[in-house]
Amino acid sequence: MSEWSDRVAQLLAEPRPLPLVHAGDPVLRQVTQPYDGQLPDEQLVALITAMRETMHEAPGVGLAAPQIGLGLAIAVLEDMFAVPASIAVARRREPLPFRAIINPRYTPVGPRTHSFYEGCLSVPGYQAVVSRAATVRLQGQDETGTELDEEISGWSARIVAHETDHLAGTLYLDRALIRSLTTNENYVRRWADPVPDEARSALQF
Ligand code: ZN
């Protein structure tokens, strides 16, 4: 077995959900190694399943391999949460069925950006506003090795960008309007509006 396969076998021996890695761990700051068949196919499938279970349990809408301590370019995405219609419309938050992305990269399509609060399972307890492209072109592979090349818009584009950033050692706070930073408690109490206009005025970001 390869070193990567040994490492994944150790991870998969842990109970679910897998433990999450938090900010301050160097694995979150390293550029991941491209996935190029380092794992047997069945182990890759088992890893993706474990990542999905861990994402569900958190709960979250995405999980990148570094967040379970693994420096490989693999992430999972899924957003099937029910949200109020006002939020779904304002944030263009549409259902995103489960998928795995391997060696993803994204590029903005057009000049439009959206600024909304987001959080990260590796930075628990906080949220901040990040301006992100309204539409991105996603390239890479899926878990079967099939090449991806598609345009993704709205909240799903934010998820793609956030998770792909993780694989390059970038946290959302690196891109955030840092004066918007809020605890989850204050977010729920004050800043959960569909768009963060009041927060922008009051926090001056
Ligand atoms: Zn994250």
Side-chain angles (χ1 to χ4, degrees):
M1 285 204 296
S2 73
E3 276 178 40
W4 285 108
S5 184
D6 287 347
R7 174 80 186 98
V8 170
Q10 280 176 2
L11 265 176
L12 294 177
E14 301 280 332
R16 307 291 185 275
L18 299 175
L20 291 173
V21 168
H22 294 143
D25 190 311
V27 73
L28 291 172
R29 291 314 201 169
Q30 290 157 3
V31 176
T32 53
Q33 185 167 340
Y35 182 75
D36 187 22
Q38 291 94 331
L39 309 177
D41 287 349
E42 65 276 13
Q43 196 181 38
L44 177 63
V45 170
L47 173 64
I48 287 169
T49 300
M51 289 174 67
R52 183 182 191 182
E53 291 168 351
T54 301
M55 170 178 69
H56 284 172
E57 184 68 23
V61 295
L63 188 75
Q67 296 183 277
I68 54 166
L70 191 68
L72 279 175
I74 299 169
V76 295
L77 322 170
E78 182 177 354
D79 183 8
M80 300 303 284
F81 288 101
V83 294
S86 58
I87 285 183
V89 169
R91 302 181 189 175
R92 297 180 64 199
R93 187 165 173 173
E94 287 148 17
L96 173 64
F98 177 80
R99 64 187 299 179
I101 51 177
I102 312 288
N103 303 323
R105 57 192 189 281
Y106 72 92
T107 44
V109 176
R112 274 196 81 193
T113 58
H114 291 151
S115 296
F116 291 115
Y117 271 102
E118 64 182 72
C120 179
L121 298 176
S122 292
V123 189
Y126 293 91
Q127 299 187 44
V129 171
V130 184
S131 173
R132 294 198 186 268
T135 300
V136 297
R137 179 183 182 187
L138 169 65
Q139 294 169 282
Q141 294 93 45
D142 70 9
E143 69 276 27
T144 69
T146 302
E147 291 292 330
L148 304 175
D149 190 351
E150 54 190 284
E151 288 191 4
I152 297 179
S153 293
W155 197 259
S156 296
R158 178 172 298 268
I159 297 170
V160 164
H162 180 119
E163 300 310 328
T164 302
D165 282 351
H166 268 301
L167 302 177
T170 297
L171 295 176
Y172 85 101
L173 288 175
D174 301 343
R175 302 191 186 281
L177 298 165
I178 203 64
R179 288 184 62 102
S180 69
L181 186 71
T182 179
T183 61
N184 283 343
E185 290 79 5
N186 277 330
Y187 175 80
V188 169
R189 189 153 61 112
R190 300 171 182 273
W191 311 129
D193 295 340
V195 295
D197 290 345
E198 277 190 44
R200 186 189 304 279
S201 167
L203 301 177
Q204 300 175 47
F205 58 84

